[in-house]
Amino acid sequence: MRSIGEMGRDSGLGVSALRFYDRAGVLVPAWVDPVTGYRWYAPEQFGEARLLARLRRSGMPLADIRLVLAGWAGGDTGLVPRLLDGHLRRLERGLADAREELSTVRALLGHKETSMTTATAGTRLTVPGSELAAALDAVRHAAGTDPELPVLGGIHFDIEGDALHLVATDRYRMAVARTPTAGHGGGRIQVTVPTPLADAMRALLTGEAPARLTVDGGKVELETEGRQAAGQSLGEDFPDYRRLTRLPGGRRLTLDVPALRRALGEQDGEVCVLALTDTVAVGDDDAAGDRVGVNPAFLLDALAVGDELLLEYIGPKAPLVLLRPDVEDAFSLLMPVSLEA
């Protein structure tokens, strides 16, 4: 017999998924301990679990998966191939439809005039070195690394008036930080700094000395205490992060950040459950209150900015918002992970 943890690890489904498929009647454990409720699986169920994992990765609907598993267990040699062929045809039709729609979107983008203000020549401003360092530290973890989306592989500098906002996102999370500036005070200027250059800038900011930021066309330079880091910005337009952060208000909960860090450090999977009552704690599928799935490593990154944080909870499928109570427009967004997939 395999425990639910062993079955989740060996089959690739995960413990939360196995609990879901048990409740759905798709893969019911061979025995459940009547005292502890712990689930145990028979040896022959391992093959079914591996098959189930492959079918789910292919995107097959749950109703069809039930029939495939029933046909598999019953030795039906005709039903299963027909179900697989039917699912493949649906995927091919969906891909053809998606290609057509995306081609239309590309054509529309080709005719759309961007309203983003580009960097003007010779823009110079002064930034407090320690505050710029803190802002870079607050957003660096969210920068993307996907080579297919190079524009997300940097930190976006958004200068407007006397404020500089730094933004980074890899699609699954976003971090925004703010620092004051002097010497600009004009219209909006935006430039995306590649992460290697942003890291070189951060390495210069070791003290309280102010830093001079210069944007000249596609060139970006930071100078402080006689040392410089300079390079070319990323050429593509960064997504409109202001639009992405227009979220309805939610329930705000104070986080016990040290305790949450310790609990998250004990998680060894890619998904964990947060239980939200009057507080926020790492729980399980049976925990009281609202339950939301998160990537524990991503949440740990977002918690690194300080020990005093709030969590704004909008709903199980809406981004989680982590806020600093002492800073108005510095926050992180974290996309939840489905507990039913």
Side-chain angles (χ1 to χ4, degrees):
M1 300 282 279
R2 278 185 168 89
S3 70
I4 190 171
E6 293 168 336
M7 179 67 96
R9 182 189 65 241
D10 297 341
S11 68
L13 282 173
V15 171
S16 295
L18 284 171
R19 290 186 178 126
F20 168 74
Y21 292 126
D22 177 17
R23 293 192 296 267
V26 177
L27 186 63
V28 179
W31 183 69
V32 179
D33 189 310
V35 177
T36 65
Y38 209 74
R39 299 164 172 89
W40 294 88
Y41 294 83
E44 60 270 18
Q45 290 185 290
F46 177 64
E48 292 185 35
R50 293 290 299 273
L51 177 61
L52 173 54
R54 290 182 180 277
L55 294 172
R56 286 303 286 163
R57 287 197 294 269
S58 78
M60 178 174 279
L62 200 57
D64 285 357
I65 288 178
R66 291 175 185 272
L67 293 175
V68 170
L69 292 179
W72 174 279
D76 188 330
T77 58
L79 175 62
V80 173
R82 291 198 299 273
L83 289 169
L84 298 180
D85 290 342
H87 179 53
L88 185 58
R89 285 193 296 270
R90 285 194 300 272
L91 291 176
E92 289 171 343
R93 286 196 299 270
L95 180 59
D97 292 342
R99 287 185 187 278
E100 183 176 348
E101 295 296 341
L102 291 175
S103 294
T104 302
V105 171
R106 288 182 186 277
L108 292 172
L109 287 174
H111 294 88
K112 182 179 181 297
E113 292 184 358
T114 180
S115 61
M116 179 177 287
T117 304
T118 57
T120 57
T123 301
R124 292 179 178 84
L125 58 149
T126 302
V127 188
S130 59
E131 295 197 34
L132 179 57
L136 286 168
D137 290 342
V139 304
R140 175 63 177 84
H141 69 273
T145 58
D146 187 348
E148 297 294 325
L149 294 169
V151 69
L152 301 185
I155 295 177
H156 189 62
F157 285 50
D158 184 1
I159 308 160
E160 187 172 20
D162 59 358
L164 166 63
H165 284 88
L166 303 183
V167 189
T169 180
D170 62 1
R171 294 179 295 164
Y172 307 105
R173 50 190 170 165
M174 174 183 287
V176 180
R178 178 188 181 278
T179 181
T181 69
H184 174 60
R188 192 178 184 190
I189 296 172
Q190 300 180 78
V191 63
T192 304
V193 177
T195 48
L197 177 55
D199 291 342
M201 291 178 172
R202 174 61 182 91
L204 299 181
L205 302 169
T206 56
E208 299 293 327
R212 174 64 65 92
L213 179 67
T214 302
V215 180
D216 189 354
K219 185 179 179 181
V220 186
E221 178 184 287
L222 186 76
E223 186 271 331
T224 181
E225 298 184 302
R227 298 174 296 163
Q228 297 178 345
Q232 291 294 315
S233 64
L234 296 174
E236 299 180 63
D237 290 341
F238 197 79
D240 184 358
Y241 73 93
R242 292 184 178 181
R243 179 171 181 172
L244 297 175
T245 58
R246 292 173 191 156
L247 300 172
R251 179 160 55 108
R252 289 195 175 184
L253 302 170
T254 301
L255 298 179
D256 183 345
V257 175
L260 197 53
R261 285 186 189 134
R262 289 193 297 271
L264 291 168
E266 297 173 357
Q267 303 294 309
D268 57 1
E270 295 185 355
V271 182
C272 71
V273 178
L274 292 184
L276 282 63
T277 53
D278 293 334
T279 59
V280 180
V282 176
D284 55 34
D285 279 357
D286 300 318
D290 293 318
R291 296 167 47 254
V292 59
V294 297
N295 181 309
F298 286 2
L299 182 54
L300 273 172
D301 286 339
L303 294 174
V305 297
D307 288 342
E308 295 185 8
L309 294 173
L310 303 174
L311 183 141
E312 187 166 38
Y313 176 70
I314 302 167
K317 297 184 179 180
L320 296 172
V321 186
L322 276 76
L323 305 155
R324 291 173 55 184
D326 57 331
V327 182
E328 180 179 352
D329 49 1
F331 55 89
S332 294
L333 301 181
L334 180 63
M335 293 302 298
V337 180
S338 172
L339 297 176
E340 298 181 353

